[in-house]
Amino acid sequence: MNSRPHPRNLLLLDGGFAAVMLTIALAVLLAPGTPPASAGGTAAAAGLAAVQASCLLWIRRRPGYALAVAALAGVGLEVLCPPLGWLGLVNVPLAYVARLRPPRFSLVALGLLLLPTPWELVTGGWRDLLFAWTALGLGWALGELQRGHFQRRHDRQRQVLARERERISRELHDVVAHHVAVIAVQAAAAEDVFDAYPERARAALGAIHTAARSALTELRSMLHALAADDGTDPDGPQPGLAQLDALADAVRAVGLEVTLDRDAGAEALPGGVQLSAYRIVQESLTNALRHSHASRADVSVRYGDGVLSLAVVDDGTGPPRRIGAGAGRGIVGMRERARLLGGTLEAGPLPSGGFRVAARLPVAAERAPRTEVAQ
């Protein structure tokens, strides 16, 4: 769905938590009057704390094994430095496991860690036992809350994609219907002039060939979408790049200064590509106006080497529209349109200020056919 953080960003985040975890452990170990008393014991405890913290760097790939290693390292920390907490800081890896795995897995892990906690009554007292229960319980609860929040957000994104795919499939249906209509009209024209005007008949057959190839391309895109009838009215002509001027004028009328720079030849591209390009520009300008509080937006449309490139850059200062918010026609919808055509879309704030949406849409079919009938 392309909404998850990049693996490199996740590694940096986990590394930050591991560094904080190790810092806390070392602060407790090096505090005056805290066991172990010998330098060798302190070094061993520091090594075990480093092992326990480093588990966060690979816990996303192997949560069960990472938690087991963290618990084993915590056994040594419990022996060498009981003030550090029950099994060291194992509640942090436990929170990760609860975040990454469903309760049927994380609750078993929690139970296994709680099972030996009565040992605290031997080495400490009721206060240490309650502290162990509380730390482990809070770690699991925090991870479970994060897992539930992520699951709800994931479900909302799935709903967004489902609605957007329905809308895309209806629009592409109209585009394909147009190509089929062209085929029917040109076939009738070719039949009428086949004997008297063979050259005109040949031109009509060429138009049929081009329209058929374009229709097949649109059908491939449509079959990837989840077609469903939700009772909305899909009638009416679908917009293309030729309507970008009218779109820019409409946006200017409500206060957003728009500059439009485009290649004229792009208007001869297949209808499905034009439709997706128009919708991406439309949504980008809408977000700039409603959510980024922009006063200016620059739109660029370029076609070359079989790729239609779009860029919409605004000078907005407000926060970008959150993915999954609203009626489902935001960044998620734009990415889905690009993906269904085999393209890509990037959206994000610029270092110098403003927001940028850039899309690359490959054009696999020939240029869109003309709709004139051969005479």
Side-chain angles (χ1 to χ4, degrees):
M1 198 171 296
N2 297 329
S3 60
R4 295 182 180 181
H6 192 277
R8 183 181 301 173
N9 295 336
L10 289 176
L11 183 60
L12 291 175
L13 179 65
D14 296 341
F17 280 120
V20 172
M21 183 177 169
L22 181 59
T23 301
I24 294 174
L26 293 178
V28 175
L29 285 172
L30 300 178
T34 301
S38 65
T42 301
L48 290 173
V51 170
Q52 193 174 68
S54 66
C55 290
L56 299 186
L57 299 177
W58 54 282
I59 196 169
R60 293 182 186 272
R61 299 190 298 274
R62 294 288 188 273
Y65 292 118
L67 182 60
V69 171
L72 291 175
V75 171
L77 290 172
E78 182 69 21
V79 174
L80 294 172
C81 185
L84 190 57
W86 173 247
L87 299 181
L89 297 177
V90 75
N91 56 313
V92 178
L94 176 62
Y96 266 75
V97 170
R99 165 68 175 79
L100 297 170
R101 290 293 183 265
R104 65 176 180 272
F105 184 96
S106 61
L107 282 175
V108 172
L110 174 63
L112 292 176
L113 292 175
L114 286 174
L115 189 63
T117 51
W119 176 255
E120 291 289 84
L121 294 175
V122 178
T123 60
W126 281 104
R127 187 173 63 179
D128 292 342
L129 178 62
L130 291 175
F131 177 77
W133 286 352
T134 302
L136 292 174
L138 286 177
W140 179 87
L142 178 61
E144 176 62 20
L145 287 174
Q146 291 179 339
R147 188 195 67 82
H149 173 72
F150 175 81
Q151 185 63 44
R152 289 189 296 273
R153 186 177 64 180
H154 180 71
D155 291 341
R156 288 196 298 269
Q157 290 179 356
R158 288 176 63 89
Q159 294 173 2
V160 165
L161 286 177
R163 289 195 297 267
E164 190 64 17
R165 286 172 181 174
E166 292 172 12
R167 181 168 175 252
I168 293 170
S169 67
R170 290 194 301 268
E171 294 174 343
L172 288 176
H173 171 272
D174 291 345
V175 173
V176 173
H178 165 74
H179 289 312
V180 173
V182 170
I183 292 173
V185 172
Q186 296 285 10
E191 183 179 9
D192 291 340
V193 300
F194 189 81
D195 294 326
Y197 303 100
E199 291 300 326
R200 294 182 182 178
R202 186 176 292 106
L205 291 174
I208 291 174
H209 172 74
T210 304
R213 288 176 60 94
S214 297
L216 287 174
T217 300
E218 313 302 347
L219 280 172
R220 292 191 189 100
S221 298
M222 184 173 64
L223 290 176
H224 283 85
L226 299 178
D229 186 6
D230 59 0
T232 57
D233 181 14
D235 294 338
Q238 298 299 340
L241 296 178
Q243 284 71 46
L244 285 182
D245 289 322
L247 174 63
D249 291 338
V251 176
R252 292 188 191 104
V254 292
L256 180 64
E257 182 182 351
V258 178
T259 61
L260 183 59
D261 183 14
R262 61 175 174 170
D263 289 338
E267 295 181 6
L269 296 178
V273 176
Q274 290 198 52
L275 174 60
S276 292
Y278 177 90
R279 294 300 188 197
I280 290 172
V281 174
Q282 181 185 43
E283 183 61 34
S284 300
L285 293 177
T286 301
N287 287 345
L289 187 64
R290 294 182 179 177
H291 307 287
S292 296
H293 309 296
S295 60
R296 177 186 175 87
D298 298 321
V299 180
S300 174
V301 180
R302 289 285 179 265
Y303 175 73
D305 298 328
V307 176
L308 181 65
S309 300
L310 308 172
V312 181
V313 182
D314 65 59
D315 61 353
T317 57
R321 187 175 190 179
R322 186 177 59 186
I323 295 178
R329 297 182 181 179
I331 295 175
V332 170
M334 291 190 289
R335 281 208 179 102
E336 185 64 9
R337 286 186 177 277
R339 188 189 70 81
L340 288 175
L341 292 173
T344 59
L345 184 138
E346 298 179 355
L350 296 172
S352 59
F355 198 82
R356 180 175 182 266
V357 175
R360 289 175 55 84
L361 308 178
V363 181
E366 298 178 9
R367 296 296 183 93
R370 296 181 177 274
T371 57
E372 293 86 346
V373 178
Q375 297 293 335

